[in-house]
């Protein structure tokens, strides 16, 4: 699967195991999600374009690389994707942040959009869409459809846990999008929850039920 990268780093795997534990409380859960986003972001951003600029060191003037152009936009899918934003901003503090509000209908599992605000000029930015959970893939596909309709071109998708069903759907719908996954789980259950998963990511991040 050439547009999919599974982040097999032991630090990421260890932290995902801690997330799965139902005894992990809201505070620790939030911290872990952020830390995982930073570790995954380091890998996902390794192809950010660079340009040479002139810098004067204490010794001499040299040409040296910095991140080029209009740089980065992080676009969390609300709510749970918000939990990953600060983890990426820790790496690129100047990144702009857009928001896409989607919720999944409990019965039909179809995504419904309720909010969208993207930073300009979106077409010139590398866009990292974040959501901890890729389950049926409906939310991720809808969010990326939407970003493309608004002109977004260079899109990456980052999730902590994916189900095979959702990963396949996203790959087929958006073969140009590079997908970064912390762990590929076994399957979805009859309520379209990921097994073994970690439960409802939004509820665990925000302490709701
Ligand atoms: C969860 C999760 C994803 C979506 C994944 O959000 O954060 O956005 O479900 O499911 P899918 O791949 O089947 O679309 P939810 O709709 O529960 O909203 P929330 O983040 O506000 O809790
Ligand atoms: N959304 C979640 O938060 N968890 C799942 O397992 C599936 C969708």
């Amino acid at each position: 699967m050439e547009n999919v990268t599974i982040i097999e780093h032991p630090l990421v795997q260890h932290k995902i195991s801690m997330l799965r534990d139902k005894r992990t409380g809201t505070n620790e859960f939030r911290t872990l999600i952020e830390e995982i986003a930073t570790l995954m972001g380091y890998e996902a951003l390794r192809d950010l374009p660079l340009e040479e600029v002139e810098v004067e060191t204490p010794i001499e003037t040299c040409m040296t690389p910095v991140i080029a152009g209009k740089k980065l936009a992080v676009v969390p899918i609300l709510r749970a994707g918000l939990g990953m934003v600060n983890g990426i901003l820790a790496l690129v503090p100047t990144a702009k942040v857009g928001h896409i509000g989607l919720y999944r209908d409990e019965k039909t599992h179809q995504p419904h959009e309720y909010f969208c605000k993207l930073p300009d000029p979106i077409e010139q930015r590398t866009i990292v869409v974040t959501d901890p959970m890729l389950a049926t893939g409906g939310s991720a596909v809808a969010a990326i459809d939407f970003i493309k309709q608004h002109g977004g071109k260079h899109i990456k998708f980052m999730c902590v846990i994916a189900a095979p069903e959702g990963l396949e759907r996203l790959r087929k719908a958006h073969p140009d999008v590079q997908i970064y996954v912390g762990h590929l789980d076994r399957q979805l259950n009859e309520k379209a929850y990921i097994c073994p998963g970690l439960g409802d990511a939004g509820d665990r991040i925000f302490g709701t039920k």
Side-chain angles (χ1 to χ4, degrees):
M1 294 191 282
E2 65 186 30
N3 60 334
V4 179
T5 306
I6 312 272
I7 309 285
E8 283 164 351
H9 196 290
L11 288 173
V12 173
Q13 297 312 310
H14 177 84
K15 288 174 193 295
I16 290 176
S17 299
M18 294 168 78
L19 279 183
R20 292 189 195 278
D21 190 332
K22 66 178 183 188
R23 295 169 304 179
T24 300
T26 303
N27 188 16
E28 192 186 355
F29 195 93
R30 272 191 207 130
T31 304
L32 286 164
I33 285 273
E34 246 181 71
E35 289 172 348
I36 291 167
T38 303
L39 292 166
M40 291 184 70
Y42 181 77
E43 192 55 39
L45 298 179
R46 65 164 60 247
D47 63 349
L48 272 187
L50 293 170
E51 64 189 2
E52 295 279 315
V53 296
E54 193 177 277
V55 166
E56 211 178 322
T57 79
I59 310 298
E60 62 180 38
T61 300
C62 66
M63 295 303 285
T64 192
V66 296
I67 293 166
K70 281 289 180 193
K71 304 177 188 160
L72 197 65
V74 186
V75 179
I77 301 178
L78 307 183
R79 293 173 299 163
L82 276 176
M84 298 172 75
V85 172
N86 283 344
I88 298 173
L89 292 182
L91 296 171
V92 189
T94 55
K96 300 287 190 278
V97 181
H99 296 88
I100 294 191
L102 293 174
Y103 71 89
R104 215 171 64 140
D105 183 280
E106 280 185 10
K107 292 218 168 62
T108 65
H109 310 136
Q110 292 303 307
H112 293 268
E113 187 207 317
Y114 59 87
F115 186 78
C116 179
K117 182 90 181 161
L118 299 173
D120 279 334
I122 196 69
E123 62 279 1
Q124 291 176 29
R125 297 180 188 276
T126 296
I127 302 158
V128 180
V129 180
T130 62
D131 194 329
M133 308 305 275
L134 181 64
T136 65
S139 303
V141 169
I144 294 169
D145 282 345
F146 209 74
I147 292 170
K148 286 184 174 174
Q149 282 160 23
H150 283 74
K153 289 189 175 64
H154 317 289
I155 303 171
K156 296 169 185 276
F157 178 82
M158 197 190 288
C159 65
V160 176
I161 295 183
E165 298 89 331
L167 188 57
E168 201 46 33
R169 180 164 168 193
L170 180 56
R171 285 182 60 230
K172 288 221 170 93
H174 294 292
D176 57 311
V177 170
Q178 196 64 38
I179 305 168
Y180 299 88
V181 177
H183 196 272
L184 183 58
D185 273 16
R186 194 179 69 246
Q187 65 184 124
L188 295 176
N189 68 13
E190 66 289 350
K191 290 186 171 165
Y193 271 81
I194 301 176
C195 305
L198 49 71
D200 187 306
D203 283 344
R204 295 196 65 189
I205 291 170
F206 295 106
T208 49
K209 188 64 214 95

Short mmCIF file of all heavy atoms in Angstrom, two decimals, residues 1 3-4 141 145 148 164-177 179:
data_model
loop_
_atom_site.label_atom_id
_atom_site.label_comp_id
_atom_site.label_asym_id
_atom_site.label_seq_id
_atom_site.Cartn_x
_atom_site.Cartn_y
_atom_site.Cartn_z
N MET A 1 0.86 -1.19 0.00
CA MET A 1 0.00 0.00 0.00
C MET A 1 0.90 1.24 0.00
O MET A 1 1.34 1.69 1.05
CB MET A 1 -0.89 -0.01 1.24
CG MET A 1 -1.90 -1.14 1.24
SD MET A 1 -3.14 -0.96 2.52
CE MET A 1 -2.22 -1.50 3.95
N ASN A 3 0.50 4.44 -0.59
CA ASN A 3 0.18 5.73 0.03
C ASN A 3 -0.13 5.60 1.52
O ASN A 3 -0.69 6.51 2.13
CB ASN A 3 -0.95 6.46 -0.70
CG ASN A 3 -2.24 5.67 -0.71
OD1 ASN A 3 -2.21 4.43 -0.62
ND2 ASN A 3 -3.36 6.35 -0.78
N VAL A 4 0.23 4.47 2.14
CA VAL A 4 -0.01 4.28 3.57
C VAL A 4 1.30 4.03 4.29
O VAL A 4 2.10 3.20 3.87
CB VAL A 4 -0.95 3.07 3.81
CG1 VAL A 4 -1.19 2.86 5.29
CG2 VAL A 4 -2.28 3.26 3.09
N VAL A 141 -13.12 10.68 4.46
CA VAL A 141 -13.38 10.89 3.02
C VAL A 141 -14.15 12.20 2.84
O VAL A 141 -13.81 13.02 1.97
CB VAL A 141 -14.15 9.69 2.41
CG1 VAL A 141 -14.66 10.02 1.01
CG2 VAL A 141 -13.24 8.45 2.37
N ASP A 145 -12.84 15.40 0.82
CA ASP A 145 -13.66 15.91 -0.32
C ASP A 145 -13.83 17.42 -0.17
O ASP A 145 -13.65 18.19 -1.12
CB ASP A 145 -15.07 15.31 -0.28
CG ASP A 145 -15.13 13.88 -0.79
OD1 ASP A 145 -14.16 13.44 -1.43
OD2 ASP A 145 -16.15 13.20 -0.53
N LYS A 148 -10.69 19.51 -0.72
CA LYS A 148 -10.39 19.58 -2.16
C LYS A 148 -11.34 20.54 -2.86
O LYS A 148 -10.92 21.31 -3.74
CB LYS A 148 -10.46 18.19 -2.78
CG LYS A 148 -9.25 17.31 -2.41
CD LYS A 148 -9.30 15.97 -3.13
CE LYS A 148 -8.04 15.17 -2.86
NZ LYS A 148 -8.11 13.80 -3.42
N PRO A 164 -9.25 -1.77 8.99
CA PRO A 164 -8.93 -2.10 7.58
C PRO A 164 -9.99 -1.56 6.62
O PRO A 164 -9.65 -1.07 5.53
CB PRO A 164 -8.92 -3.63 7.58
CG PRO A 164 -8.69 -4.03 9.00
CD PRO A 164 -9.26 -2.95 9.86
N GLU A 165 -11.26 -1.60 7.04
CA GLU A 165 -12.36 -1.14 6.17
C GLU A 165 -12.21 0.34 5.82
O GLU A 165 -12.38 0.75 4.67
CB GLU A 165 -13.72 -1.35 6.87
CG GLU A 165 -14.06 -2.79 7.20
CD GLU A 165 -13.57 -3.28 8.58
OE1 GLU A 165 -12.54 -2.76 9.06
OE2 GLU A 165 -14.21 -4.18 9.15
N GLY A 166 -11.92 1.15 6.86
CA GLY A 166 -11.80 2.60 6.65
C GLY A 166 -10.56 2.96 5.84
O GLY A 166 -10.59 3.86 4.99
N LEU A 167 -9.47 2.24 6.11
CA LEU A 167 -8.23 2.52 5.40
C LEU A 167 -8.41 2.25 3.90
O LEU A 167 -8.02 3.05 3.05
CB LEU A 167 -7.11 1.64 5.98
CG LEU A 167 -5.71 1.94 5.48
CD1 LEU A 167 -5.31 3.39 5.74
CD2 LEU A 167 -4.70 0.99 6.13
N GLU A 168 -9.06 1.14 3.59
CA GLU A 168 -9.30 0.78 2.19
C GLU A 168 -10.18 1.83 1.50
O GLU A 168 -9.91 2.25 0.37
CB GLU A 168 -9.99 -0.61 2.18
CG GLU A 168 -9.86 -1.37 0.89
CD GLU A 168 -8.47 -1.38 0.30
OE1 GLU A 168 -7.48 -1.38 1.05
OE2 GLU A 168 -8.39 -1.36 -0.95
N ARG A 169 -11.23 2.24 2.22
CA ARG A 169 -12.16 3.23 1.64
C ARG A 169 -11.46 4.56 1.37
O ARG A 169 -11.64 5.17 0.31
CB ARG A 169 -13.33 3.43 2.61
CG ARG A 169 -14.35 4.42 2.13
CD ARG A 169 -15.61 4.25 2.92
NE ARG A 169 -16.53 5.33 2.71
CZ ARG A 169 -17.59 5.55 3.47
NH1 ARG A 169 -17.86 4.74 4.48
NH2 ARG A 169 -18.41 6.55 3.22
N LEU A 170 -10.65 5.00 2.33
CA LEU A 170 -9.94 6.28 2.16
C LEU A 170 -8.91 6.19 1.02
O LEU A 170 -8.80 7.11 0.21
CB LEU A 170 -9.27 6.66 3.48
CG LEU A 170 -8.49 7.97 3.49
CD1 LEU A 170 -9.36 9.15 3.06
CD2 LEU A 170 -7.91 8.25 4.87
N ARG A 171 -8.19 5.09 0.96
CA ARG A 171 -7.18 4.91 -0.11
C ARG A 171 -7.83 4.96 -1.49
O ARG A 171 -7.31 5.54 -2.42
CB ARG A 171 -6.49 3.56 0.03
CG ARG A 171 -5.49 3.47 1.14
CD ARG A 171 -4.84 2.11 1.14
NE ARG A 171 -4.16 1.87 -0.11
CZ ARG A 171 -4.28 0.77 -0.86
NH1 ARG A 171 -5.10 -0.19 -0.50
NH2 ARG A 171 -3.62 0.64 -1.98
N LYS A 172 -9.00 4.31 -1.59
CA LYS A 172 -9.68 4.26 -2.90
C LYS A 172 -10.23 5.63 -3.27
O LYS A 172 -10.13 6.05 -4.42
CB LYS A 172 -10.83 3.24 -2.85
CG LYS A 172 -10.36 1.81 -2.81
CD LYS A 172 -11.25 0.92 -3.71
CE LYS A 172 -10.64 -0.46 -3.87
NZ LYS A 172 -11.16 -1.43 -2.88
N ALA A 173 -10.84 6.32 -2.27
CA ALA A 173 -11.48 7.60 -2.57
C ALA A 173 -10.45 8.69 -2.87
O ALA A 173 -10.69 9.58 -3.68
CB ALA A 173 -12.35 8.03 -1.38
N HIS A 174 -9.30 8.63 -2.18
CA HIS A 174 -8.29 9.69 -2.32
C HIS A 174 -6.90 9.08 -2.46
O HIS A 174 -6.07 9.18 -1.55
CB HIS A 174 -8.35 10.63 -1.10
CG HIS A 174 -9.62 11.40 -1.01
ND1 HIS A 174 -9.96 12.38 -1.92
CD2 HIS A 174 -10.65 11.33 -0.13
CE1 HIS A 174 -11.14 12.88 -1.60
NE2 HIS A 174 -11.58 12.26 -0.52
N PRO A 175 -6.61 8.47 -3.63
CA PRO A 175 -5.31 7.80 -3.79
C PRO A 175 -4.12 8.76 -3.75
O PRO A 175 -2.99 8.33 -3.57
CB PRO A 175 -5.43 7.12 -5.16
CG PRO A 175 -6.62 7.71 -5.82
CD PRO A 175 -7.50 8.28 -4.78
N ASP A 176 -4.38 10.06 -3.93
CA ASP A 176 -3.30 11.05 -3.90
C ASP A 176 -2.93 11.47 -2.47
O ASP A 176 -1.96 12.21 -2.28
CB ASP A 176 -3.73 12.31 -4.68
CG ASP A 176 -5.02 12.89 -4.12
OD1 ASP A 176 -5.99 12.12 -3.92
OD2 ASP A 176 -5.06 14.10 -3.83
N VAL A 177 -3.70 11.07 -1.49
CA VAL A 177 -3.47 11.51 -0.11
C VAL A 177 -2.56 10.51 0.60
O VAL A 177 -2.83 9.30 0.58
CB VAL A 177 -4.82 11.65 0.64
CG1 VAL A 177 -4.61 11.86 2.14
CG2 VAL A 177 -5.63 12.80 0.05
N ILE A 179 -1.34 8.67 3.77
CA ILE A 179 -2.04 8.33 5.02
C ILE A 179 -1.03 7.80 6.03
O ILE A 179 -0.24 6.89 5.71
CB ILE A 179 -3.12 7.25 4.75
CG1 ILE A 179 -4.07 7.72 3.64
CG2 ILE A 179 -3.89 6.92 6.02
CD1 ILE A 179 -4.98 6.59 3.11
#
